[in-house]
Amino acid sequence: MDPTDWTIGPPTNPSELVAASELFDFPVSEHGAREFLAMPGHRLLLARTADGTAVGFVSGVVMRHPDKQPEMFVYELGVAESHRRRGIAAALLRALALEALALGCTGMWTGTERGNVAALATYGSLGATVDDESVFIQWAALAEAFVPGTTSFSA
């Protein structure tokens, strides 16, 4: 695909993310899209074909710790299966990196599964290195983990 066949930019409104739900892990709600886009330091860029159809996205969050410079965490990266291996993922990451630099970030990082060969190849092609020493820890059911006797959480 010729890069002129698609463009990269932020969504114009939350409904654009809802319409692009097939690119995400789960369906996007209008409420979730609106909240994400309104949060300071949260960024999302879409790759769109000439007719405006979203074929990829990257999301990131600026992270800052008192003893470190700001960094961009690459939250998620996704490209429609029909548009993979065309440079869209790399272009999305480059665009996010430019936004990160404009926001004062000095680094960018993410995590992925060891078996995600395509992601590792894309990140490596852009100069990223794999830190084999790190592990990711997650609490999928936060309330159950930290509030004894809780089996579900409602806001």
mmCIF file of all heavy atoms in Angstrom, residues 70-114:
data_model
loop_
_atom_site.group_PDB
_atom_site.id
_atom_site.type_symbol
_atom_site.label_atom_id
_atom_site.label_comp_id
_atom_site.label_asym_id
_atom_site.label_seq_id
_atom_site.Cartn_x
_atom_site.Cartn_y
_atom_site.Cartn_z
ATOM 1 N N PRO A 70 9.514 12.472 31.472
ATOM 2 C CA PRO A 70 8.296 11.851 30.950
ATOM 3 C C PRO A 70 8.617 10.805 29.874
ATOM 4 O O PRO A 70 9.573 10.958 29.116
ATOM 5 C CB PRO A 70 7.529 13.021 30.320
ATOM 6 C CG PRO A 70 8.152 14.254 30.839
ATOM 7 C CD PRO A 70 9.551 13.917 31.234
ATOM 8 N N GLU A 71 7.809 9.751 29.859
ATOM 9 C CA GLU A 71 7.937 8.697 28.862
ATOM 10 C C GLU A 71 6.555 8.400 28.308
ATOM 11 O O GLU A 71 5.552 8.559 28.994
ATOM 12 C CB GLU A 71 8.480 7.407 29.486
ATOM 13 C CG GLU A 71 9.863 7.536 30.071
ATOM 14 C CD GLU A 71 10.296 6.246 30.755
ATOM 15 O OE1 GLU A 71 9.529 5.710 31.572
ATOM 16 O OE2 GLU A 71 11.405 5.793 30.444
ATOM 17 N N MET A 72 6.519 7.938 27.075
ATOM 18 C CA MET A 72 5.262 7.527 26.460
ATOM 19 C C MET A 72 5.146 6.012 26.589
ATOM 20 O O MET A 72 6.018 5.277 26.127
ATOM 21 C CB MET A 72 5.217 7.928 24.978
ATOM 22 C CG MET A 72 3.960 7.508 24.245
ATOM 23 S SD MET A 72 2.426 8.269 24.834
ATOM 24 C CE MET A 72 2.588 9.931 24.168
ATOM 25 N N PHE A 73 4.076 5.563 27.225
ATOM 26 C CA PHE A 73 3.758 4.145 27.279
ATOM 27 C C PHE A 73 2.857 3.828 26.095
ATOM 28 O O PHE A 73 1.801 4.435 25.939
ATOM 29 C CB PHE A 73 3.045 3.798 28.597
ATOM 30 C CG PHE A 73 2.462 2.412 28.618
ATOM 31 C CD1 PHE A 73 3.278 1.305 28.524
ATOM 32 C CD2 PHE A 73 1.094 2.232 28.721
ATOM 33 C CE1 PHE A 73 2.736 0.025 28.533
ATOM 34 C CE2 PHE A 73 0.543 0.961 28.737
ATOM 35 C CZ PHE A 73 1.368 -0.150 28.644
ATOM 36 N N VAL A 74 3.290 2.928 25.236
ATOM 37 C CA VAL A 74 2.473 2.502 24.102
ATOM 38 C C VAL A 74 1.468 1.499 24.661
ATOM 39 O O VAL A 74 1.810 0.367 24.989
ATOM 40 C CB VAL A 74 3.318 1.861 22.980
ATOM 41 C CG1 VAL A 74 2.425 1.421 21.827
ATOM 42 C CG2 VAL A 74 4.395 2.817 22.505
ATOM 43 N N TYR A 75 0.231 1.961 24.793
ATOM 44 C CA TYR A 75 -0.804 1.166 25.437
ATOM 45 C C TYR A 75 -1.258 0.018 24.529
ATOM 46 O O TYR A 75 -1.265 -1.135 24.936
ATOM 47 C CB TYR A 75 -1.977 2.088 25.774
ATOM 48 C CG TYR A 75 -2.922 1.611 26.831
ATOM 49 C CD1 TYR A 75 -3.662 2.519 27.560
ATOM 50 C CD2 TYR A 75 -3.116 0.266 27.109
ATOM 51 C CE1 TYR A 75 -4.556 2.114 28.539
ATOM 52 C CE2 TYR A 75 -3.997 -0.149 28.078
ATOM 53 C CZ TYR A 75 -4.716 0.771 28.778
ATOM 54 O OH TYR A 75 -5.601 0.369 29.733
ATOM 55 N N GLU A 76 -1.648 0.338 23.312
ATOM 56 C CA GLU A 76 -2.058 -0.691 22.354
ATOM 57 C C GLU A 76 -1.744 -0.240 20.938
ATOM 58 O O GLU A 76 -1.730 0.954 20.637
ATOM 59 C CB GLU A 76 -3.555 -0.988 22.451
ATOM 60 C CG GLU A 76 -3.932 -1.778 23.676
ATOM 61 C CD GLU A 76 -5.325 -2.376 23.593
ATOM 62 O OE1 GLU A 76 -5.822 -2.627 22.471
ATOM 63 O OE2 GLU A 76 -5.905 -2.596 24.653
ATOM 64 N N LEU A 77 -1.525 -1.226 20.097
ATOM 65 C CA LEU A 77 -1.277 -1.010 18.681
ATOM 66 C C LEU A 77 -2.044 -2.087 17.936
ATOM 67 O O LEU A 77 -1.945 -3.267 18.283
ATOM 68 C CB LEU A 77 0.230 -1.137 18.385
ATOM 69 C CG LEU A 77 0.681 -1.119 16.935
ATOM 70 C CD1 LEU A 77 0.412 0.226 16.290
ATOM 71 C CD2 LEU A 77 2.167 -1.468 16.858
ATOM 72 N N GLY A 78 -2.826 -1.689 16.960
ATOM 73 C CA GLY A 78 -3.589 -2.673 16.200
ATOM 74 C C GLY A 78 -3.778 -2.244 14.758
ATOM 75 O O GLY A 78 -3.976 -1.067 14.482
ATOM 76 N N VAL A 79 -3.696 -3.207 13.866
ATOM 77 C CA VAL A 79 -3.923 -2.954 12.445
ATOM 78 C C VAL A 79 -4.860 -4.053 11.935
ATOM 79 O O VAL A 79 -4.690 -5.230 12.264
ATOM 80 C CB VAL A 79 -2.599 -2.970 11.643
ATOM 81 C CG1 VAL A 79 -2.857 -2.814 10.149
ATOM 82 C CG2 VAL A 79 -1.664 -1.872 12.141
ATOM 83 N N ALA A 80 -5.854 -3.657 11.147
ATOM 84 C CA ALA A 80 -6.792 -4.619 10.563
ATOM 85 C C ALA A 80 -6.009 -5.688 9.811
ATOM 86 O O ALA A 80 -5.042 -5.380 9.105
ATOM 87 C CB ALA A 80 -7.762 -3.906 9.628
ATOM 88 N N GLU A 81 -6.441 -6.921 9.965
ATOM 89 C CA GLU A 81 -5.741 -8.024 9.319
ATOM 90 C C GLU A 81 -5.577 -7.791 7.816
ATOM 91 O O GLU A 81 -4.543 -8.105 7.234
ATOM 92 C CB GLU A 81 -6.488 -9.333 9.584
ATOM 93 C CG GLU A 81 -5.658 -10.544 9.287
ATOM 94 C CD GLU A 81 -6.256 -11.826 9.830
ATOM 95 O OE1 GLU A 81 -6.956 -11.792 10.851
ATOM 96 O OE2 GLU A 81 -6.003 -12.860 9.196
ATOM 97 N N SER A 82 -6.575 -7.194 7.207
ATOM 98 C CA SER A 82 -6.532 -6.941 5.758
ATOM 99 C C SER A 82 -5.497 -5.894 5.359
ATOM 100 O O SER A 82 -5.180 -5.760 4.176
ATOM 101 C CB SER A 82 -7.909 -6.475 5.276
ATOM 102 O OG SER A 82 -8.270 -5.259 5.930
ATOM 103 N N HIS A 83 -4.952 -5.165 6.331
ATOM 104 C CA HIS A 83 -4.010 -4.097 6.016
ATOM 105 C C HIS A 83 -2.638 -4.287 6.675
ATOM 106 O O HIS A 83 -1.832 -3.363 6.723
ATOM 107 C CB HIS A 83 -4.601 -2.746 6.421
ATOM 108 C CG HIS A 83 -5.677 -2.300 5.494
ATOM 109 N ND1 HIS A 83 -6.937 -2.854 5.488
ATOM 110 C CD2 HIS A 83 -5.669 -1.385 4.504
ATOM 111 C CE1 HIS A 83 -7.667 -2.284 4.562
ATOM 112 N NE2 HIS A 83 -6.920 -1.393 3.941
ATOM 113 N N ARG A 84 -2.378 -5.479 7.164
ATOM 114 C CA ARG A 84 -1.087 -5.744 7.798
ATOM 115 C C ARG A 84 0.010 -5.918 6.757
ATOM 116 O O ARG A 84 -0.249 -6.155 5.593
ATOM 117 C CB ARG A 84 -1.195 -6.992 8.686
ATOM 118 C CG ARG A 84 -2.074 -6.725 9.892
ATOM 119 C CD ARG A 84 -2.155 -7.905 10.811
ATOM 120 N NE ARG A 84 -3.082 -7.580 11.903
ATOM 121 C CZ ARG A 84 -3.635 -8.464 12.682
ATOM 122 N NH1 ARG A 84 -3.353 -9.747 12.541
ATOM 123 N NH2 ARG A 84 -4.464 -8.090 13.629
ATOM 124 N N ARG A 85 1.249 -5.762 7.242
ATOM 125 C CA ARG A 85 2.456 -5.905 6.420
ATOM 126 C C ARG A 85 2.522 -4.852 5.318
ATOM 127 O O ARG A 85 2.999 -5.105 4.215
ATOM 128 C CB ARG A 85 2.580 -7.318 5.855
ATOM 129 C CG ARG A 85 2.607 -8.384 6.960
ATOM 130 C CD ARG A 85 2.959 -9.756 6.479
ATOM 131 N NE ARG A 85 4.251 -9.824 5.801
ATOM 132 C CZ ARG A 85 5.458 -9.846 6.378
ATOM 133 N NH1 ARG A 85 5.551 -9.790 7.692
ATOM 134 N NH2 ARG A 85 6.553 -9.918 5.660
ATOM 135 N N ARG A 86 2.038 -3.658 5.652
ATOM 136 C CA ARG A 86 2.077 -2.538 4.704
ATOM 137 C C ARG A 86 2.741 -1.311 5.305
ATOM 138 O O ARG A 86 2.669 -0.231 4.737
ATOM 139 C CB ARG A 86 0.651 -2.191 4.260
ATOM 140 C CG ARG A 86 -0.060 -3.344 3.585
ATOM 141 C CD ARG A 86 -1.443 -2.968 3.172
ATOM 142 N NE ARG A 86 -2.194 -4.122 2.717
ATOM 143 C CZ ARG A 86 -3.285 -4.056 2.005
ATOM 144 N NH1 ARG A 86 -3.780 -2.900 1.648
ATOM 145 N NH2 ARG A 86 -3.907 -5.149 1.637
ATOM 146 N N GLY A 87 3.322 -1.468 6.490
ATOM 147 C CA GLY A 87 4.009 -0.344 7.122
ATOM 148 C C GLY A 87 3.130 0.533 7.999
ATOM 149 O O GLY A 87 3.597 1.537 8.530
ATOM 150 N N ILE A 88 1.875 0.148 8.169
ATOM 151 C CA ILE A 88 0.961 0.995 8.938
ATOM 152 C C ILE A 88 1.343 1.010 10.418
ATOM 153 O O ILE A 88 1.355 2.070 11.052
ATOM 154 C CB ILE A 88 -0.504 0.547 8.733
ATOM 155 C CG1 ILE A 88 -0.917 0.803 7.273
ATOM 156 C CG2 ILE A 88 -1.439 1.268 9.693
ATOM 157 C CD1 ILE A 88 -2.268 0.252 6.890
ATOM 158 N N ALA A 89 1.656 -0.150 10.993
ATOM 159 C CA ALA A 89 2.022 -0.201 12.415
ATOM 160 C C ALA A 89 3.252 0.669 12.690
ATOM 161 O O ALA A 89 3.273 1.446 13.652
ATOM 162 C CB ALA A 89 2.274 -1.637 12.853
ATOM 163 N N ALA A 90 4.266 0.564 11.838
ATOM 164 C CA ALA A 90 5.475 1.371 12.019
ATOM 165 C C ALA A 90 5.163 2.857 11.881
ATOM 166 O O ALA A 90 5.659 3.683 12.644
ATOM 167 C CB ALA A 90 6.553 0.944 11.019
ATOM 168 N N ALA A 91 4.311 3.197 10.907
ATOM 169 C CA ALA A 91 3.946 4.607 10.717
ATOM 170 C C ALA A 91 3.170 5.140 11.920
ATOM 171 O O ALA A 91 3.378 6.282 12.350
ATOM 172 C CB ALA A 91 3.131 4.769 9.439
ATOM 173 N N LEU A 92 2.288 4.320 12.480
ATOM 174 C CA LEU A 92 1.547 4.736 13.677
ATOM 175 C C LEU A 92 2.504 4.976 14.848
ATOM 176 O O LEU A 92 2.376 5.970 15.573
ATOM 177 C CB LEU A 92 0.506 3.678 14.056
ATOM 178 C CG LEU A 92 -0.746 3.648 13.193
ATOM 179 C CD1 LEU A 92 -1.488 2.320 13.364
ATOM 180 C CD2 LEU A 92 -1.659 4.820 13.546
ATOM 181 N N LEU A 93 3.466 4.087 15.028
ATOM 182 C CA LEU A 93 4.437 4.257 16.114
ATOM 183 C C LEU A 93 5.312 5.490 15.899
ATOM 184 O O LEU A 93 5.608 6.220 16.853
ATOM 185 C CB LEU A 93 5.303 3.005 16.258
ATOM 186 C CG LEU A 93 4.583 1.803 16.866
ATOM 187 C CD1 LEU A 93 5.391 0.535 16.651
ATOM 188 C CD2 LEU A 93 4.333 2.041 18.357
ATOM 189 N N ARG A 94 5.706 5.741 14.668
ATOM 190 C CA ARG A 94 6.483 6.953 14.387
ATOM 191 C C ARG A 94 5.669 8.204 14.722
ATOM 192 O O ARG A 94 6.181 9.161 15.306
ATOM 193 C CB ARG A 94 6.909 6.997 12.921
ATOM 194 C CG ARG A 94 8.074 6.117 12.593
ATOM 195 C CD ARG A 94 8.575 6.373 11.160
ATOM 196 N NE ARG A 94 9.397 5.270 10.742
ATOM 197 C CZ ARG A 94 8.981 4.241 10.002
ATOM 198 N NH1 ARG A 94 7.730 4.192 9.571
ATOM 199 N NH2 ARG A 94 9.802 3.278 9.684
ATOM 200 N N ALA A 95 4.394 8.206 14.342
ATOM 201 C CA ALA A 95 3.533 9.361 14.621
ATOM 202 C C ALA A 95 3.352 9.547 16.124
ATOM 203 O O ALA A 95 3.366 10.679 16.626
ATOM 204 C CB ALA A 95 2.180 9.184 13.931
ATOM 205 N N LEU A 96 3.184 8.452 16.866
ATOM 206 C CA LEU A 96 3.056 8.549 18.319
ATOM 207 C C LEU A 96 4.366 9.062 18.933
ATOM 208 O O LEU A 96 4.346 9.881 19.856
ATOM 209 C CB LEU A 96 2.671 7.205 18.928
ATOM 210 C CG LEU A 96 2.433 7.232 20.440
ATOM 211 C CD1 LEU A 96 1.241 8.123 20.805
ATOM 212 C CD2 LEU A 96 2.224 5.805 20.968
ATOM 213 N N ALA A 97 5.490 8.607 18.400
ATOM 214 C CA ALA A 97 6.788 9.072 18.906
ATOM 215 C C ALA A 97 6.947 10.579 18.701
ATOM 216 O O ALA A 97 7.462 11.280 19.589
ATOM 217 C CB ALA A 97 7.925 8.321 18.211
ATOM 218 N N LEU A 98 6.493 11.092 17.573
ATOM 219 C CA LEU A 98 6.561 12.537 17.343
ATOM 220 C C LEU A 98 5.690 13.291 18.330
ATOM 221 O O LEU A 98 6.082 14.344 18.846
ATOM 222 C CB LEU A 98 6.161 12.868 15.901
ATOM 223 C CG LEU A 98 7.147 12.420 14.827
ATOM 224 C CD1 LEU A 98 6.586 12.700 13.434
ATOM 225 C CD2 LEU A 98 8.499 13.090 15.017
ATOM 226 N N GLU A 99 4.500 12.764 18.621
ATOM 227 C CA GLU A 99 3.643 13.385 19.635
ATOM 228 C C GLU A 99 4.320 13.330 20.999
ATOM 229 O O GLU A 99 4.277 14.291 21.763
ATOM 230 C CB GLU A 99 2.279 12.697 19.690
ATOM 231 C CG GLU A 99 1.438 12.989 18.485
ATOM 232 C CD GLU A 99 -0.036 13.161 18.803
ATOM 233 O OE1 GLU A 99 -0.419 13.214 19.986
ATOM 234 O OE2 GLU A 99 -0.796 13.264 17.832
ATOM 235 N N ALA A 100 4.939 12.191 21.301
ATOM 236 C CA ALA A 100 5.630 12.040 22.589
ATOM 237 C C ALA A 100 6.747 13.069 22.724
ATOM 238 O O ALA A 100 6.890 13.714 23.774
ATOM 239 C CB ALA A 100 6.187 10.623 22.712
ATOM 240 N N LEU A 101 7.530 13.241 21.677
ATOM 241 C CA LEU A 101 8.606 14.241 21.716
ATOM 242 C C LEU A 101 8.039 15.643 21.921
ATOM 243 O O LEU A 101 8.580 16.432 22.708
ATOM 244 C CB LEU A 101 9.428 14.177 20.431
ATOM 245 C CG LEU A 101 10.335 12.950 20.305
ATOM 246 C CD1 LEU A 101 10.851 12.817 18.886
ATOM 247 C CD2 LEU A 101 11.474 13.030 21.318
ATOM 248 N N ALA A 102 6.941 15.960 21.254
ATOM 249 C CA ALA A 102 6.317 17.281 21.398
ATOM 250 C C ALA A 102 5.807 17.499 22.821
ATOM 251 O O ALA A 102 5.728 18.645 23.283
ATOM 252 C CB ALA A 102 5.172 17.433 20.398
ATOM 253 N N LEU A 103 5.495 16.408 23.510
ATOM 254 C CA LEU A 103 5.011 16.493 24.894
ATOM 255 C C LEU A 103 6.153 16.445 25.912
ATOM 256 O O LEU A 103 5.914 16.406 27.112
ATOM 257 C CB LEU A 103 4.018 15.355 25.170
ATOM 258 C CG LEU A 103 2.708 15.445 24.393
ATOM 259 C CD1 LEU A 103 1.941 14.123 24.479
ATOM 260 C CD2 LEU A 103 1.857 16.591 24.924
ATOM 261 N N GLY A 104 7.397 16.405 25.434
ATOM 262 C CA GLY A 104 8.549 16.405 26.328
ATOM 263 C C GLY A 104 9.020 15.034 26.759
ATOM 264 O O GLY A 104 9.875 14.919 27.650
ATOM 265 N N CYS A 105 8.506 13.985 26.155
ATOM 266 C CA CYS A 105 8.926 12.633 26.528
ATOM 267 C C CYS A 105 10.333 12.359 26.006
ATOM 268 O O CYS A 105 10.695 12.790 24.915
ATOM 269 C CB CYS A 105 7.965 11.593 25.957
ATOM 270 S SG CYS A 105 6.299 11.682 26.629
ATOM 271 N N THR A 106 11.103 11.622 26.795
ATOM 272 C CA THR A 106 12.460 11.274 26.387
ATOM 273 C C THR A 106 12.580 9.812 26.001
ATOM 274 O O THR A 106 13.617 9.389 25.501
ATOM 275 C CB THR A 106 13.468 11.578 27.511
ATOM 276 O OG1 THR A 106 13.095 10.824 28.673
ATOM 277 C CG2 THR A 106 13.477 13.060 27.851
ATOM 278 N N GLY A 107 11.539 9.027 26.243
ATOM 279 C CA GLY A 107 11.561 7.615 25.899
ATOM 280 C C GLY A 107 10.160 7.114 25.614
ATOM 281 O O GLY A 107 9.167 7.805 25.872
ATOM 282 N N MET A 108 10.097 5.904 25.080
ATOM 283 C CA MET A 108 8.818 5.273 24.783
ATOM 284 C C MET A 108 9.000 3.788 25.062
ATOM 285 O O MET A 108 10.065 3.226 24.782
ATOM 286 C CB MET A 108 8.455 5.518 23.311
ATOM 287 C CG MET A 108 7.044 5.211 22.962
ATOM 288 S SD MET A 108 6.491 6.039 21.429
ATOM 289 C CE MET A 108 7.147 4.959 20.171
ATOM 290 N N TRP A 109 7.979 3.159 25.645
ATOM 291 C CA TRP A 109 8.109 1.749 25.978
ATOM 292 C C TRP A 109 6.752 1.057 25.921
ATOM 293 O O TRP A 109 5.709 1.706 25.910
ATOM 294 C CB TRP A 109 8.746 1.570 27.351
ATOM 295 C CG TRP A 109 7.943 2.152 28.491
ATOM 296 C CD1 TRP A 109 7.851 3.477 28.846
ATOM 297 C CD2 TRP A 109 7.112 1.451 29.402
ATOM 298 N NE1 TRP A 109 7.010 3.623 29.925
ATOM 299 C CE2 TRP A 109 6.544 2.391 30.290
ATOM 300 C CE3 TRP A 109 6.781 0.105 29.555
ATOM 301 C CZ2 TRP A 109 5.672 2.033 31.311
ATOM 302 C CZ3 TRP A 109 5.916 -0.249 30.585
ATOM 303 C CH2 TRP A 109 5.387 0.716 31.450
ATOM 304 N N THR A 110 6.797 -0.260 25.872
ATOM 305 C CA THR A 110 5.577 -1.058 25.855
ATOM 306 C C THR A 110 5.914 -2.473 26.287
ATOM 307 O O THR A 110 7.075 -2.798 26.536
ATOM 308 C CB THR A 110 4.921 -1.062 24.451
ATOM 309 O OG1 THR A 110 3.596 -1.578 24.568
ATOM 310 C CG2 THR A 110 5.718 -1.865 23.443
ATOM 311 N N GLY A 111 4.918 -3.294 26.351
ATOM 312 C CA GLY A 111 5.102 -4.715 26.619
ATOM 313 C C GLY A 111 4.322 -5.506 25.589
ATOM 314 O O GLY A 111 3.352 -5.007 25.022
ATOM 315 N N THR A 112 4.757 -6.709 25.334
ATOM 316 C CA THR A 112 4.024 -7.611 24.437
ATOM 317 C C THR A 112 4.390 -9.032 24.798
ATOM 318 O O THR A 112 5.299 -9.272 25.595
ATOM 319 C CB THR A 112 4.321 -7.316 22.949
ATOM 320 O OG1 THR A 112 3.362 -8.009 22.142
ATOM 321 C CG2 THR A 112 5.731 -7.712 22.558
ATOM 322 N N GLU A 113 3.699 -9.958 24.226
ATOM 323 C CA GLU A 113 3.969 -11.365 24.470
ATOM 324 C C GLU A 113 5.227 -11.781 23.705
ATOM 325 O O GLU A 113 5.472 -11.314 22.599
ATOM 326 C CB GLU A 113 2.776 -12.225 24.011
ATOM 327 C CG GLU A 113 1.479 -11.912 24.709
ATOM 328 C CD GLU A 113 0.751 -10.689 24.131
ATOM 329 O OE1 GLU A 113 1.108 -10.188 23.035
ATOM 330 O OE2 GLU A 113 -0.181 -10.217 24.800
ATOM 331 N N ARG A 114 5.995 -12.687 24.286
ATOM 332 C CA ARG A 114 7.211 -13.166 23.613
ATOM 333 C C ARG A 114 6.904 -13.783 22.262
ATOM 334 O O ARG A 114 7.712 -13.716 21.340
ATOM 335 C CB ARG A 114 7.941 -14.174 24.488
ATOM 336 C CG ARG A 114 8.556 -13.577 25.718
ATOM 337 C CD ARG A 114 9.409 -14.609 26.462
ATOM 338 N NE ARG A 114 9.732 -14.149 27.799
ATOM 339 C CZ ARG A 114 10.683 -13.283 28.094
ATOM 340 N NH1 ARG A 114 11.412 -12.776 27.117
ATOM 341 N NH2 ARG A 114 10.917 -12.913 29.332
#
